[in-house]
Amino acid sequence: MVRSTNSSDFTTALENDFPILKACRGYELLRTPPGSRISLEVIPMPSGGFTSTYLADESCLQAAVCYFRPIQKDFAITTCTEMDGDQPSEACLECGENIPLPLLRDHVDGCNKLGMSPRRKRNRVQTQTPVCQFACVPGSSCTELAIQKEMGVCPVCNGSFEVNVLKAHAAGLMDPQTDFESALNDRFDKIVLEGSWPINVVRRHFNNIAMEELSNGNIKDWGKKLNVKFIGEDGVDSGGLTREFFSLLFETSPVFEDNGFSYNADLLEKKHYQLMGRATSMAILHGYPGPRNLNRTIVDFILENKEPEEIPECCIQNAEVKAAIEEVSIARSSKSNRNSIKAYWNIETIGDVFERHSHLLEASGYKQLLSVSNRDRAIHTMNFYYCFYKYIPPMQQFIEGLKLHDMLLLLTKHGENGRALLCCDTKSSSMSDVLAFFVPKFSKSEHEKADEEMIVYNFGKFLKKVENGAISTDWVKMNSSEESLKEVTINLGDVLQALIGCRSLPRNIKSGEMEFDHLSNQLSYVNTCAPSIIFTRTKELVNYEKLEHHLICIIVEAEGFGLAGMAVSFQTVYIGITMTRAEVMVIRKDLSENATNAEILQSSFERLDLT
């Protein structure tokens, strides 16, 4: 058929090839949808009617078979019985008679001597249900439509396979990580189709409001993509705000404590542990690298229902329990020989230790009187209770929540890849990983490119110093009421939190961009949704100390994407200006009194005599 944009040309060509269309007075076009060989879907008709150009370029028909369906009356289908003498024929294997090929199947079906072998029975096309299912008159002889095999291309080896075996074939060639990513992406695509779930939070009261928003979500909401808004802050959620939401949720929630779960009867009653399990499932689907704040003993129980055979020392986080175990382990007998060395007598007796820590022993289930002979058993009991058995109820709620979108099953199936999203001992991103993640977009101008190359080198140098723990600064928590500043060492998690919205590289984003604005005199800034970092004042940033100062300002002053508006204001003040601790505390006081960004900036300029 000649390509044309005229619908009349298309209809005329069809009627010439299929005269039966003239009598039906209106028709629809249908195709088999991807992944199916028998169901059909209607091809949308453009406003001007069907054209050959539309079907070829815009309808997504591609190589699929196209079917006609009459709108007003059914097709009258009859079997052709008159054959020309030149028709090719074949001898019937049962009766030996030469039969024209178009009539051979009907002849075989009605042959009096029919006695087909099992092999021939298997090779027959089952035609009781025509592929169109509805376009033919019931009882007519339209039974000759053989189902065509749909083929697809393997994304791994580029080979051609039937669609019904393609997925299994590709899965067999994929490495476990690729297979895991593919399964997560498939689930995420489904929730995107269901629409968005608006989540509105206030940063100053983040945890309470976030948990309230999650608690108010219905079953349909949990099947949608999140759309996060930090009230009072600029920013449209294209992924960055969602990542920051989960970062803050996992960092501030009272559900988690000391690389494990807390035990809080009120949180249990409100089912907050179950909500956190659901949130973890949603976070992983949205590309967040996972909470990564649970010890391996707890993760093994969550994924495999496996109780520990021993408790690693690193799992004992509670200071009081840790001190009690240490004192029980070294306590001396009450009946020790008084001729022993003097230092030995400075150690408490087992009775004194028991009296002081009896409440911990009793709560763990140890009911016996403590003695030197049974203290190993007492230590074992406390270890297992305070590191594992005490937290069975929170863990069970978390497991129930993690079943959302079959996430528990998926994490369990993929072993270490699943554990890596939950375990606190998962290897964190390295300086090389972060540097490779941000791909520079170099200018064509050799003069500009020379500056850009030095900026990339300085950025790598900064990351290396961060990785080595060589950069520290006064950490100003803008939403804190503490009237003191604490010098902290910046780590790569802090860098990533500022640049992409979470403390590890996101699962579903393979790279970000590093751009250069040679004309702007503003401060360098980031876009956590893209994600990208845009370096400005490029002539200055060729100097490493200047670039380090830019990046520290971005990291320290922007706790997350939502503070970007405030961060720009404060960066304008900080760059090239030395602020005293007292001046910083005054700005924080302004912030705590809910002053607007403009008011804070103006008052800061006035104090620094910059107006």
Side-chain angles (χ1 to χ4, degrees):
M1 182 179 292
V2 179
R3 290 174 65 94
S4 170
T5 57
N6 190 310
S7 62
S8 298
D9 293 342
F10 177 75
T11 301
T12 301
L14 286 183
E15 290 178 347
N16 289 338
D17 291 338
F18 306 98
I20 196 172
L21 284 175
K22 296 179 180 180
C24 73
R25 299 293 182 180
Y27 62 88
E28 295 176 310
L29 298 183
L30 303 96
R31 58 157 289 167
T32 53
S36 174
R37 296 189 297 173
I38 57 174
S39 62
L40 295 174
E41 64 181 11
V42 176
I43 299 175
M45 180 184 292
S47 57
F50 289 115
T51 66
S52 56
T53 301
Y54 169 78
L55 290 178
D57 299 337
E58 302 178 43
S59 68
C60 300
L61 181 63
Q62 299 177 349
V65 177
C66 184
Y67 299 93
F68 301 105
R69 179 169 67 179
I71 295 176
Q72 299 192 65
K73 59 181 294 186
D74 293 325
F75 290 141
I77 296 183
T78 58
T79 303
C80 178
T81 57
E82 297 181 3
M83 306 300 303
D84 295 333
D86 296 333
Q87 287 288 336
S89 62
E90 288 288 348
C92 173
L93 294 176
E94 301 297 336
C95 67
E97 183 181 352
N98 283 325
I99 306 297
L101 286 181
L103 304 179
L104 182 59
R105 184 177 297 281
D106 286 341
H107 170 82
V108 171
D109 288 342
C111 185
N112 293 329
K113 298 181 180 179
L114 190 62
M116 290 186 288
S117 65
R119 177 180 64 81
R120 289 185 62 199
K121 288 182 179 180
R122 286 196 303 269
N123 290 338
R124 290 188 66 197
V125 176
Q126 299 299 319
T127 57
Q128 284 78 5
T129 303
V131 80
C132 56
Q133 295 189 4
F134 44 76
C136 306
V137 178
S140 72
S141 58
C142 180
T143 58
E144 302 302 322
L145 292 175
I147 300 176
Q148 296 189 11
K149 294 180 179 179
E150 289 189 28
M151 307 297 288
V153 178
C154 173
V156 182
C157 69
N158 293 322
S160 181
F161 298 88
E162 290 184 48
V163 292
N164 60 331
V165 299
L166 182 58
K167 187 173 183 180
H169 163 78
L173 298 180
M174 289 181 180
D175 63 85
Q177 180 63 33
T178 304
D179 189 21
F180 184 46
E181 297 289 339
S182 177
L184 290 173
N185 291 337
D186 287 345
R187 284 165 170 76
F188 181 71
D189 290 342
K190 290 180 181 178
I191 69 173
V192 169
L193 294 176
E194 297 299 322
S196 61
W197 177 12
I199 299 286
N200 299 305
V201 291
V202 177
R203 187 177 299 276
R204 302 175 199 278
H205 310 285
F206 175 82
N207 188 259
N208 290 338
I209 293 179
M211 294 305 291
E212 183 178 345
E213 286 282 285
L214 295 178
S215 299
N216 291 336
N218 56 42
I219 190 65
K220 290 185 178 180
D221 290 331
W222 286 100
K224 299 177 181 178
K225 178 180 178 294
L226 265 62
N227 184 12
V228 177
K229 168 67 177 176
F230 284 84
I231 296 174
E233 302 174 9
D234 295 330
V236 176
D237 188 11
S238 297
L241 289 180
T242 295
R243 289 193 293 273
E244 186 189 353
F245 173 84
F246 287 122
S247 289
L248 293 174
L249 186 67
F250 296 142
E251 180 182 351
T252 64
S253 174
V255 162
F256 299 113
E257 183 180 278
D258 298 330
N259 292 337
F261 292 101
S262 64
Y263 185 89
N264 186 304
D266 186 49
L267 297 181
L268 279 170
E269 183 179 356
K270 294 177 179 178
K271 294 190 178 298
H272 277 201
Y273 298 97
Q274 182 179 4
L275 281 176
M276 196 57 63
R278 289 186 173 188
T280 298
S281 176
M282 293 290 281
I284 294 172
L285 283 187
H286 282 72
Y288 190 84
R292 295 183 177 180
N293 54 7
L294 300 173
N295 63 61
R296 193 160 283 267
T297 298
I298 289 178
V299 173
D300 285 344
F301 179 77
I302 290 172
L303 299 184
E304 298 181 2
N305 197 27
K306 178 183 176 182
E307 296 189 18
E309 296 180 0
E310 59 179 344
I311 300 294
E313 187 176 343
C314 62
C315 291
I316 307 171
Q317 299 288 337
N318 186 287
E320 184 182 8
V321 173
K322 203 169 187 176
I325 291 174
E326 183 177 353
E327 291 175 15
V328 170
S329 65
I330 64 173
R332 63 181 174 85
S333 171
S334 303
K335 300 180 180 179
S336 300
N337 188 346
R338 290 186 175 275
N339 294 325
S340 301
I341 59 175
K342 184 177 181 180
Y344 180 76
W345 285 94
N346 291 331
I347 301 175
E348 288 185 292
T349 66
I350 198 78
D352 293 337
V353 171
F354 176 72
E355 184 177 346
R356 185 164 61 256
H357 298 301
S358 59
H359 64 291
L360 294 177
L361 285 162
E362 185 176 354
S364 68
Y366 190 81
K367 305 293 185 181
Q368 301 178 24
L369 182 65
L370 187 63
S371 65
V372 173
S373 61
N374 64 16
R375 65 177 165 192
D376 287 344
R377 183 61 187 171
I379 292 173
H380 178 274
T381 301
M382 284 199 292
N383 268 337
F384 273 75
Y385 176 74
Y386 288 107
C387 295
F388 182 74
Y389 290 113
K390 177 180 179 180
Y391 305 103
I392 290 289
M395 286 191 289
Q396 292 288 11
Q397 276 199 12
F398 184 83
I399 289 171
E400 193 61 32
L402 200 59
K403 293 178 182 179
L404 181 69
H405 300 301
D406 293 327
M407 185 57 65
L408 177 63
L409 182 64
L410 189 62
L411 296 180
T412 302
K413 175 183 175 182
H414 291 276
E416 284 303 313
N417 290 324
R419 279 181 173 78
L421 298 176
L422 302 178
C423 277
C424 59
D425 61 1
T426 299
K427 181 182 177 182
S428 57
S429 304
S430 67
M431 162 263 177
S432 300
D433 295 332
V434 179
L435 185 60
F437 179 81
F438 287 97
V439 180
K441 296 180 66 176
F442 291 113
S443 302
K444 294 182 180 180
S445 166
E446 289 298 322
H447 181 69
E448 292 180 344
K449 186 177 179 182
D451 291 341
E452 293 165 359
E453 289 172 346
M454 281 304 301
I455 292 174
V456 174
Y457 170 77
N458 286 338
F459 181 64
K461 183 178 178 180
F462 173 81
L463 294 176
K464 188 65 177 178
K465 290 182 69 175
V466 169
E467 187 173 59
N468 293 335
I471 295 182
S472 59
T473 183
D474 285 338
W475 190 265
V476 183
K477 287 287 187 182
M478 293 299 182
N479 58 353
S480 171
S481 60
E482 298 178 8
E483 294 297 319
S484 62
L485 296 176
K486 179 178 67 173
E487 187 174 86
V488 297
T489 300
I490 293 177
N491 57 44
L492 286 175
D494 301 324
V495 175
L496 289 173
Q497 180 67 49
L499 299 185
I500 63 176
C502 58
R503 301 184 67 82
S504 300
L505 291 174
R507 177 192 58 78
N508 61 343
I509 301 179
K510 302 307 177 185
S511 65
E513 293 184 348
M514 184 186 301
E515 302 177 24
F516 308 91
D517 187 343
H518 297 274
L519 301 178
S520 175
N521 197 38
Q522 300 298 317
L523 218 128
S524 300
Y525 57 96
V526 298
N527 180 346
T528 61
C529 289
S532 61
I533 177 170
I534 298 89
F535 287 111
T536 58
R537 301 185 184 181
T538 51
K539 288 295 182 183
E540 294 181 11
L541 301 188
V542 172
N543 179 289
Y544 172 76
E545 284 72 21
K546 292 285 187 181
L547 181 135
E548 179 180 300
H549 192 53
H550 271 233
L551 291 173
I552 289 177
C553 286
I554 291 175
I555 294 165
V556 172
E557 296 159 15
E559 291 182 318
F561 181 89
L563 278 182
M566 295 183 182
V568 171
S569 300
F570 288 117
Q571 288 161 1
T572 306
V573 177
Y574 285 164
I575 292 299
I577 302 168
T578 301
M579 298 186 70
T580 67
R581 288 173 176 256
E583 288 164 336
V584 172
M585 297 311 302
V586 170
I587 291 177
R588 180 156 59 189
K589 182 174 183 294
D590 286 342
L591 185 61
S592 66
E593 293 174 352
N594 297 320
T596 65
N597 291 0
E599 291 169 345
I600 296 171
L601 183 60
Q602 179 62 32
S603 63
S604 303
F605 281 148
E606 291 172 353
R607 293 189 192 95
L608 295 171
D609 197 22
L610 295 178
T611 54

